[in-house]
Amino acid sequence: MKIELNAVPEEIMRAVEILSQYCQENKIPEKIIFSLKLALEECGSNIINHSLKKDKDKKISVILKITDNLITVELYDQGPEFDPTKMNLNDSRKMIGERTVGGWGLELVRQNIDEMSYLRENNTNILTLKKYLFEIV
Amino acid sequence: MKLVIQILQSIGNTDNAGVTVRLAGSLDTSTAPELENQLQSIFSQPQKDLVFDLADLRFISSAGLRVFAIARKVIKEGGGETHFINMQPQIQAVFEIIKSLPGVTVFRDMPEFDAYLTARQRSFTDRAE
């Protein structure tokens, strides 16, 4: 499933609602849906607020995929290059202790998602979030 | 999901002055600015107690936590305390990940909070005697 969004906060919450419905239709457990909603909200709002500066003429694409044991959320934007996976935990925690709360969102994503990866391709940021439905042994 | 904000000017079953803010729905990047805006009327005068009743809050992100952090700071600077009651498990899990609000108290429900207020009042009275 592909969702096209304008870069405003209301639009990322529209994507979160679509994600929620899509997961419910696929019988995904509520706890996992909450984690995915939170991760999409945090990553999407980070792109909108900091990368695209709430410019409603700019776009974000979100692609949702559900396979047997894996849910994948991909976010595409053409803002400045920024790799959130390179922000280390110490930086994040330092930010939590200071006035800014910018690090909270990233910490929430890390705690709710199993894998996060980043790619810069054709002037596009591609952020991929993965959540497994059950543990792989 | 929208956010419904209800501001009540007295707390629980005690005579203590304070404000309760009931939140229902989703406190996120699109709704947090409205809560911050509505809290300004509460911030305009010192509050002894500010209680957030989260019984019907279904979703929260860092944008919502940020508003709570601001509230805690403002109320503390005025000599008051910030409390949370009826926190749902998924909301509590988000709080626990961030450990974002040191110094605030979380109560299971309104009776537990009333008991706290009563004990605090008794402690204050005992010290005065």
Side-chain angles (χ1 to χ4, degrees):
Chain A
M1 175 183 282
K2 184 174 183 180
I3 311 162
E4 296 283 351
L5 310 170
N6 296 316
V8 293
E10 293 75 16
E11 284 279 276
I12 197 66
M13 294 317 297
R14 182 169 68 84
V16 167
E17 284 304 309
I18 292 171
L19 165 74
S20 181
Q21 286 181 11
Y22 186 52
C23 288
Q24 284 170 354
E25 288 165 8
N26 284 276
K27 314 284 186 213
I28 305 299
E30 283 298 325
K31 192 173 178 183
I32 289 178
I33 296 176
F34 188 91
S35 292
L36 288 163
K37 287 170 64 179
L38 188 54
L40 176 56
E41 198 270 22
E42 296 293 351
C43 292
S45 57
N46 195 42
I47 292 168
I48 286 171
N49 293 331
H50 303 296
S51 180
L52 302 180
K53 310 289 185 192
K54 297 183 185 176
D55 182 344
K56 61 179 171 44
D57 294 327
K58 294 192 172 165
K59 302 283 185 188
I60 299 176
S61 298
V62 179
I63 295 179
L64 311 175
K65 298 174 192 166
I66 299 179
T67 57
D68 287 348
N69 181 37
L70 178 66
I71 304 174
T72 307
V73 180
E74 296 172 349
L75 296 101
Y76 297 77
D77 74 271
Q78 294 188 319
E81 183 171 357
F82 175 67
D83 181 356
T85 66
K86 284 189 176 165
M87 191 173 170
N88 71 41
L89 201 57
N90 287 336
D91 287 344
S92 175
R93 285 184 175 150
K94 186 181 173 193
M95 288 171 77
I96 289 169
E98 295 172 351
R99 266 188 74 194
T100 176
V101 293
W104 289 2
L106 187 56
E107 185 75 7
L108 289 173
V109 174
R110 285 179 167 150
Q111 295 291 330
N112 281 279
I113 288 297
D114 295 317
E115 293 176 21
M116 178 167 63
S117 60
Y118 170 84
L119 187 65
R120 178 76 176 179
E121 203 172 68
N122 299 326
N123 291 322
T124 302
N125 295 309
I126 306 170
L127 184 63
T128 303
L129 310 173
K130 292 183 178 179
K131 182 78 175 173
Y132 293 96
L133 296 176
F134 49 86
E135 284 186 29
I136 298 172
V137 290
Chain B
M1 196 189 301
K2 297 188 182 309
L3 177 70
V4 178
I5 304 167
Q6 190 179 10
I7 298 176
L8 308 171
Q9 290 297 328
S10 62
I11 291 177
N13 300 315
T14 71
D15 294 330
N16 294 276
V19 176
T20 297
V21 180
R22 284 187 187 152
L23 302 176
S26 177
L27 183 53
D28 54 54
T29 185
S30 70
T31 59
E34 177 58 25
L35 176 60
E36 188 173 355
N37 186 43
Q38 290 204 28
L39 289 175
Q40 297 309 311
S41 62
I42 296 171
F43 295 162
S44 62
Q45 50 191 319
Q47 302 291 342
K48 190 173 179 184
D49 292 289
L50 171 62
V51 178
F52 288 100
D53 185 342
L54 307 185
D56 295 314
L57 189 68
R58 297 289 173 250
F59 181 82
I60 189 168
S61 69
S62 63
L65 292 175
R66 175 185 163 276
V67 178
F68 288 153
I70 291 169
R72 173 187 168 270
K73 181 171 183 286
V74 172
I75 296 300
K76 188 179 178 187
E77 285 172 355
E81 296 179 6
T82 303
H83 317 279
F84 295 87
I85 62 170
N86 297 322
M87 198 180 283
Q88 301 303 301
Q90 72 273 22
I91 305 297
Q92 191 155 6
V94 173
F95 271 66
E96 286 171 0
I97 288 171
I98 298 301
K99 299 186 184 359
S100 55
L101 299 168
V104 303
T105 44
V106 178
F107 298 96
R108 189 173 60 247
D109 50 26
M110 190 56 86
E112 188 175 283
F113 179 60
D114 275 339
Y116 165 78
L117 289 181
T118 302
R120 190 177 70 181
Q121 184 63 32
R122 190 178 298 133
S123 170
F124 177 78
T125 306
D126 289 348
R127 280 203 306 272
E129 286 175 354

